[in-house]
Amino acid sequence: MPRKLKDSLLAVALLLPSAIIFVSFFFYPLYRLFYLGLHQQNRFGTAEKYVGWSQYSDVLGGDDFLDGLWVSTRYVFLTVPLGIVLGILLAVAANRHLRGIKFFQTVFASTVASSVAVASVIFFVLINPQVGYFRDVTFFSLSDPDTALRGVALSSVWQNLGLTFIIVLAGLQAVPEEIYEAATLDGYGPFRRFFRVTLPLISPTLLFLVVVLVIFAFQAFAQVEILTNGGPAGSTETLVFKIFNSQQPQSLGVGAVMAIGLFAVTLVVSLAQFLILERRVHYGS
Amino acid sequence: MTTTPPVPVMVEQPVKGPRKLTKAELRASEAKTKLSSPWATGIALVMAFLWTIPTLGLLITSIRPQASIQTSGWWTWFTNPEFTLENYDEVLFGSSTGFSTYFVNSIVIAIPAVVIPITIALLAAYAFAWIDFRGRDLLFVAVFALQIVPLQVTLIPLLTIYVDLGLAGSFWTVWLSHSIFALPLAIFLFHNFMKDIPRSLVEAARVDGAGHVRIFFTVLMPLLVPAIAAFTVFQFLWVWNDLLVALTFAGGTPNVAPLTVRLADLSGTRGQDWHLLSAGAFVALIVPLMVFLFGQRFFVRGLLAGGVKG
């Protein structure tokens, strides 16, 4: 057998397991998703009725989806800016040669290992409306529809901070020492040095982080499930929470359309962030 | 993500035992210490303290007797220290909680959910990196692009497919789901590492008469260990900590459900039982924490080299 043919056959054999998985558990489900979206199910999920694209316009323009989108969007603004600012503060503070600094770095980074579920239980003990230590703090009270989302956001900020910290610290450590020394010799104080030198140099890292954290926030589920179960009065029902709760047989079609909506929103938001933010990012020369 | 910007790679060398700093390094470190303001140090200390309060509170709660938990706050422990393992005993082996069973489930879920995608991805990555075939580049870009589809999107159709295949309620649902969404990133990451290996090394082995199999195991494999370790840590934390996939496919099946599902359940039904909740949270936390501490170095490097699953 010629070498070329043999190689091609080998490539096919090596790619086959991946191909099988992608086709049967990725592309086929995506096709099913569109199919489900075009149909309405009965109470047992057995009989299906074709309803066409009207289900798409009904669901995506309906109150349920738009409410979920609104909650998820607010959640992004509650978690991402605060998370990034805290992450930068922590990383700047820990990026120095001090005795025991490795210990602090590990402590800060360690929330990466904690799950959303564990973080939520930790905050559940702290802010639960009936039994939490801080149940009387009205600013993030879980029993008030106006503030419950803040309480949920708080646990996410804490849990994501480990990741933010690791990535910002890596960005800071890649900045050459000489640049700081040069800035200091030029008479830059610590604050001016930070805003005029450090921040522009780590901006690619920050862009990366913003995109990742926004996606995380749009996909928030476990923290809502544990801390509020969507309540009070549906005020913390994020998009994914709504999708998860449309798994009853009769609402599969509606859930499918919402899932497609979530995909579209994620895609648009990520692309928009790159188009808007990338122009302001300094990649060096 | 298709458009992940370049992220500077963390410059962290493996520790090679203690050694003396050169004069230049000493000067550099002195300069750095001088450059940093005492303000930042102060902030670091305060933040480190605030940071640990939630976890510390939970840990202390978990080792206090149930009666004390219900009558006083955990901070009183500092003036009145008490210690008991009863909460852990009850949460692990109590008939109504049974965390030990779910702990085993978590392990049974996590190990194949890490091994399956790594094995399959290594095969595919080798084909993409070292075999010439038609349409290779196009196919590779296609696999890479799959990363933009969020896992949440296909949960509902996957559920119906698993039911059709008769897999519903088995470990396969969770193994497969985690494998599918790990594959694109794993293939991408391993391909990049394999591509970085100098062509001359592979060519030399080929001249010596080594076939693909021998090249893979003797030349590439040893150099891929850091990448595999990085992905293992990453995927393990992801799978162990997942709640959404587990709840969707194994939520109603106690034989299959992992710790996170049980913990979420406990917080809903027994929210008053802090002694169980706090001990349970630590049982769920201990394994990923160990994995993180031991694999920290690989994890950070892999995270920055391959972008983050999003």
Side-chain angles (χ1 to χ4, degrees):
Chain A
M1 220 183 330
R3 165 109 187 253
K4 191 86 189 158
L5 181 67
K6 221 172 125 186
D7 275 3
S8 295
L9 283 177
L10 182 67
V12 169
L14 292 178
L15 292 173
L16 201 61
S18 305
I20 292 173
I21 288 195
F22 283 138
V23 170
S24 43
F25 298 109
F26 199 93
F27 292 112
Y28 179 60
L30 281 183
Y31 159 77
R32 287 278 307 172
L33 193 67
F34 280 98
Y35 177 87
L36 282 171
L38 292 169
H39 293 76
Q40 219 165 45
Q41 284 72 29
N42 70 2
R43 215 145 45 86
F44 312 100
T46 44
E48 289 179 321
K49 192 178 86 186
Y50 180 80
V51 288
W53 295 100
S54 67
Q55 181 154 264
Y56 281 77
S57 47
D58 287 353
V59 171
L60 295 181
D63 284 345
D64 213 23
F65 179 79
L66 293 178
D67 282 349
L69 188 60
W70 173 233
V71 170
S72 286
T73 309
R74 275 168 50 222
Y75 195 69
V76 168
F77 284 101
L78 282 174
T79 53
V80 179
L82 182 63
I84 298 249
V85 169
L86 286 178
I88 292 175
L89 273 178
L90 268 183
V92 167
N95 182 31
R96 59 199 59 239
H97 297 276
L98 282 181
R99 193 184 295 266
I101 198 67
K102 272 267 174 268
F103 172 75
F104 282 114
Q105 290 179 358
T106 304
V107 168
F108 290 148
S110 64
T111 60
V112 161
S114 78
S115 63
V116 183
V118 169
S120 303
V121 167
I122 290 177
F123 276 79
F124 183 81
V125 171
L126 292 175
I127 61 177
N128 177 280
Q130 280 86 44
V131 292
Y133 292 116
F134 298 117
R135 59 175 174 262
D136 297 329
V137 181
T138 50
F139 184 75
F140 46 71
S141 164
L142 290 180
S143 55
D144 180 348
D146 293 332
T147 57
L149 201 61
R150 293 181 195 157
V152 180
L154 205 62
S155 86
S156 293
V157 168
W158 183 80
Q159 202 241 332
N160 284 336
L161 212 45
L163 182 78
T164 318
F165 169 77
I166 291 177
I167 293 177
V168 177
L169 185 65
L172 288 175
Q173 290 182 339
V175 176
E177 202 76 41
E178 300 84 57
I179 295 184
Y180 289 125
E181 287 169 27
T184 311
L185 289 177
D186 281 351
Y188 278 45
F191 286 99
R192 204 151 71 124
R193 199 169 60 221
F194 176 76
F195 285 106
R196 304 292 288 277
V197 181
T198 315
L199 219 47
L201 282 173
I202 61 169
S203 54
T205 312
L206 296 182
L207 169 64
F208 170 73
L209 256 181
V210 169
V211 174
V212 169
L213 289 180
V214 167
I215 291 175
F216 277 3
F218 263 115
Q219 296 175 349
F221 167 76
Q223 51 274 62
V224 177
E225 167 82 14
I226 292 180
L227 284 171
T228 63
N229 202 16
S235 62
T236 53
E237 288 188 2
T238 57
L239 265 184
V240 175
F241 186 84
K242 282 183 186 288
I243 294 172
F244 178 81
N245 280 298
S246 51
Q247 285 171 2
Q248 295 83 10
Q250 77 276 17
S251 54
L252 283 181
V254 173
V257 175
M258 281 199 193
I260 291 169
L262 171 73
F263 181 31
V265 169
T266 317
L267 206 62
V268 168
V269 168
S270 318
L271 283 176
Q273 283 176 320
F274 273 102
L275 294 178
I276 297 165
L277 290 175
E278 192 158 45
R279 266 181 281 157
R280 298 162 172 253
V281 163
H282 172 95
Y283 277 118
S285 45
Chain B
M1 296 299 307
T2 36
T3 34
T4 303
V7 174
V9 172
M10 184 176 228
V11 213
E12 201 186 16
Q13 299 297 329
V15 187
K16 284 175 193 145
R19 72 184 173 91
K20 280 208 165 140
L21 293 173
T22 64
K23 259 191 187 155
E25 278 173 321
L26 272 176
R27 229 180 305 143
S29 107
E30 265 171 24
K32 190 157 187 174
T33 316
K34 259 184 239 155
L35 285 169
S36 56
S37 70
W39 277 98
T41 311
I43 293 172
L45 287 171
V46 171
M47 284 185 98
F49 177 67
L50 288 174
W51 187 267
T52 42
I53 286 182
T55 328
L56 190 70
L58 197 74
L59 179 64
I60 291 175
T61 305
S62 74
I63 55 165
R64 294 178 73 210
Q66 187 184 351
S68 310
I69 296 174
Q70 280 160 352
T71 50
S72 61
W74 56 266
W75 46 88
T76 57
W77 181 83
F78 290 102
T79 48
N80 177 28
E82 295 164 291
F83 179 81
T84 174
L85 286 176
E86 240 170 74
N87 303 333
Y88 285 92
D89 189 48
E90 188 178 344
V91 88
L92 278 172
F93 307 109
S95 55
S96 62
T97 44
F99 265 52
S100 53
T101 321
Y102 294 88
F103 190 88
V104 174
N105 285 352
S106 274
I107 290 174
V108 174
I109 286 173
I111 291 172
V114 170
V115 173
I116 295 172
I118 287 180
T119 313
I120 296 178
L122 279 174
L123 298 178
Y126 181 82
F128 281 127
W130 293 109
I131 301 177
D132 278 319
F133 58 92
R134 280 218 330 216
R136 180 174 74 168
D137 295 343
L138 193 70
L139 213 54
F140 183 66
V141 171
V143 169
F144 178 71
L146 293 184
Q147 287 186 70
I148 59 167
V149 180
L151 176 121
Q152 290 80 353
V153 168
T154 54
L155 285 181
I156 290 173
L158 271 179
L159 192 66
T160 64
I161 290 169
Y162 290 146
V163 171
D164 289 347
L165 291 175
L167 294 175
S170 75
F171 280 113
W172 280 104
T173 58
V174 195
W175 291 337
L176 276 170
S177 307
H178 284 304
S179 297
I180 302 160
F181 288 93
L183 264 183
L185 181 70
I187 294 175
F188 176 68
L189 194 73
F190 293 152
H191 167 269
N192 289 357
F193 269 83
M194 285 196 202
K195 264 285 179 229
D196 280 348
I197 293 167
R199 195 157 200 110
S200 56
L201 267 178
V202 176
E203 291 300 336
R206 216 166 260 167
V207 170
D208 285 347
H212 286 294
V213 176
R214 244 181 72 198
I215 289 177
F216 181 80
F217 282 105
T218 58
V219 182
L220 299 180
M221 211 45 182
L223 296 167
L224 282 173
V225 169
I228 295 174
F231 193 79
T232 302
V233 176
F234 188 49
Q235 177 73 357
F236 184 87
L237 292 181
W238 177 272
V239 172
W240 187 279
N241 289 336
D242 156 80
L243 177 67
L244 184 63
V245 170
L247 209 54
T248 305
F249 300 121
T253 329
N255 302 341
V256 180
L259 272 177
T260 46
V261 169
R262 190 73 194 99
L263 193 63
D265 206 27
L266 201 64
S267 71
T269 56
R270 317 204 28 181
Q272 313 290 332
D273 293 340
W274 286 6
H275 64 294
L276 295 182
L277 215 48
S278 55
F282 266 94
V283 171
L285 184 61
I286 194 75
V287 173
L289 198 61
M290 303 282 271
V291 169
F292 171 74
L293 291 180
F294 284 114
Q296 194 178 161
R297 198 156 46 83
F298 298 114
F299 176 75
V300 172
R301 220 186 288 152
L303 194 73
L304 298 168
V308 180
K309 185 164 4 187

